[in-house]
Amino acid sequence: MAEAEVGDDWFGDDPTVNRLQERAAEVTGKEAGLFVPSGTMANQIALRLQFSGPGHLVLAEPLSHVASTEVMSSAALSGIAFKTVHGDRRGRITADQVRAALEPDEPYDVEIADLVCLENTSGHAGGTVMDVEDFRAIRKVAEEAGVAVHLDGARIFNASAASGVDVAEYAAEVHTLMFCVSKGLGAPIGSLVCGSADQMREGRRIKILFGGAWRQAGVVAAAGLVALEEGPQRLAEDHERARRLADAVAEIVPGSLDPADVETNMVFADTEASMGMTPLEVANRLEDHGVGASVVSSKVRMVTHVDIADEDVDTAIAAWRAVSAG
Ligand SMILES: Cc1ncc(COP(=O)(O)O)c(C=O)c1O
């Protein structure tokens, strides 16, 4: 980062940003990429690009990041309202559900969706992986209805590491996707939107509109390049550590989770059901033992990533023992 060659990304002449965007396009098999500060901005640019205007809808799972955590940004920035399609307990929606949701609502003709938004892995449902066959089926149904598909692939590299399906294979089934070089890949900041060259040209305008034009962004893009080259091979280690943590928590607090549910780098524990304690209480007690955990979907959520080593998992397991004992 200190040695990054920089320019002015507002003018498109930061060589390190440009290299990262080209690399992101290569890895995803799309024509072009656009480097932006956050995953939220990346999603908001992709949604805005494919949304025709207020009064229309975007289809998404109700707990997906765009429809829950970012919902106010979509409404405020682009006038987007969501039509929600409930997934199964693993957050997955099917092509049949999408087909039904896209069916014209005759004779009223008020529910017109411009876009289907999918998330892989699903953050709220436990870092679960959606099959590429499901993407294929949903894309087919969406295309028959003349509707585009966007992938919130904040953690698509985790999905790829777990399923063995190349990121480009998922990307081929959607019109746009975004992924974060922050999160599991290990960069401090940054996300990329990928799509056609025309889309990314317009996406750059929207990035400026949303206040995301930055200047010598090569400083952070340099870390993004390292994350993209070195991060993906390392993710299997995070998944292994998450499984070890899940096995231990399931043993320490029976009924809190099923280790078989842990597909990638997230471990969710239901403490209400198993310990009679709110997830916030447990997260606070874990913090007293030096372990950071958050509360998501009314559960304690723990995430393994580049900064979590085997010893840290040992610390977390010891903290669970202490909290459960008393
Ligand atoms: C699935 C998903 N999409 C998008 C985002 C947004 O990323 P950021 O926090 O960089 O805005 C997150 C963040 O946690 C996420 O989990």
Side-chain angles (χ1 to χ4, degrees):
M1 292 171 78
E3 290 166 10
E5 194 187 349
V6 294
D8 187 332
D9 185 46
W10 205 103
F11 294 102
D13 71 5
D14 185 300
T16 312
V17 170
N18 292 345
R19 221 176 309 140
L20 176 59
Q21 292 180 159
E22 281 156 24
R23 188 70 195 120
E26 255 170 43
V27 168
T28 59
K30 293 294 187 199
E31 279 177 1
L34 186 69
F35 184 46
V36 299
S38 73
T40 300
M41 186 181 286
N43 276 332
Q44 293 306 321
I45 289 171
L47 264 55
R48 171 71 163 246
L49 264 173
Q50 295 164 105
F51 183 66
S52 61
H56 284 216
L57 300 165
V58 170
L59 237 66
E61 213 283 331
L63 290 179
S64 63
H65 203 272
V66 289
S68 57
T69 322
E70 294 168 39
V71 67
M72 299 307 282
S73 349
S74 315
L77 296 173
S78 304
I80 289 172
F82 289 97
K83 178 167 180 173
T84 51
V85 179
H86 288 259
D88 62 11
R89 61 182 279 276
R90 314 300 287 146
R92 294 177 271 227
I93 61 176
T94 66
D96 284 344
Q97 286 179 296
V98 172
R99 182 186 292 108
L102 291 178
E103 229 141 68
D105 62 327
E106 286 161 352
Y108 311 110
D109 199 23
V110 292
E111 290 193 0
I112 298 174
D114 295 337
L115 181 67
V116 177
C117 185
L118 304 172
E119 185 176 308
N120 199 18
T121 66
S122 164
H124 279 83
T128 45
V129 181
M130 204 172 136
D131 288 345
V132 72
E133 287 76 21
D134 290 334
F135 274 85
R136 278 193 194 108
I138 290 173
R139 180 196 172 112
K140 191 164 176 286
V141 163
E143 279 188 347
E144 280 163 13
V147 171
V149 182
H150 168 65
L151 166 61
D152 175 346
R155 299 182 186 82
I156 191 63
F157 285 90
N158 292 90
S160 171
S163 64
V165 173
D166 203 88
V167 166
E169 260 192 75
Y170 288 110
E173 302 307 327
V174 297
H175 300 86
T176 54
L177 78 153
M178 79 78 158
F179 67 87
C180 301
V181 282
S182 58
K183 308 196 173 43
L185 294 185
I189 294 171
S191 294
L192 287 116
V193 196
C194 298
S196 70
D198 282 349
Q199 282 175 319
M200 293 309 106
R201 202 169 302 120
E202 179 60 13
R204 178 184 163 272
R205 263 179 27 82
I206 302 172
K207 170 176 158 181
I208 297 169
L209 176 72
F210 289 172
W214 43 5
R215 299 291 182 177
Q216 284 133 44
V219 173
V220 269
L225 277 164
V226 175
L228 200 46
E229 293 316 307
E230 296 178 6
Q233 303 90 283
R234 213 198 42 75
L235 293 176
E237 286 176 31
D238 293 346
H239 298 180
E240 261 175 52
R241 292 191 178 106
R243 269 193 295 274
R244 183 160 78 83
L245 178 59
D247 285 340
V249 174
E251 190 205 306
I252 297 164
V253 187
S256 58
L257 62 91
D258 180 351
D261 285 344
V262 176
E263 297 179 23
T264 56
N265 64 333
M266 291 185 181
V267 180
F268 279 57
D270 186 344
T271 57
E272 295 270 18
S274 56
M275 305 166 87
M277 284 169 76
T278 67
L280 187 59
E281 253 179 295
V282 175
N284 287 340
R285 300 240 192 128
L286 289 170
E287 198 170 353
D288 293 341
H289 293 273
V291 175
S294 54
V295 176
V296 176
S297 301
S298 308
K299 293 181 183 155
V300 175
R301 183 176 86 167
M302 293 162 292
V303 182
T304 53
H305 52 76
V306 66
D307 296 323
I308 301 293
D310 286 334
E311 306 81 80
D312 300 312
V313 175
D314 295 338
T315 304
I317 294 170
W320 273 94
R321 273 193 216 292
V323 172
S324 131

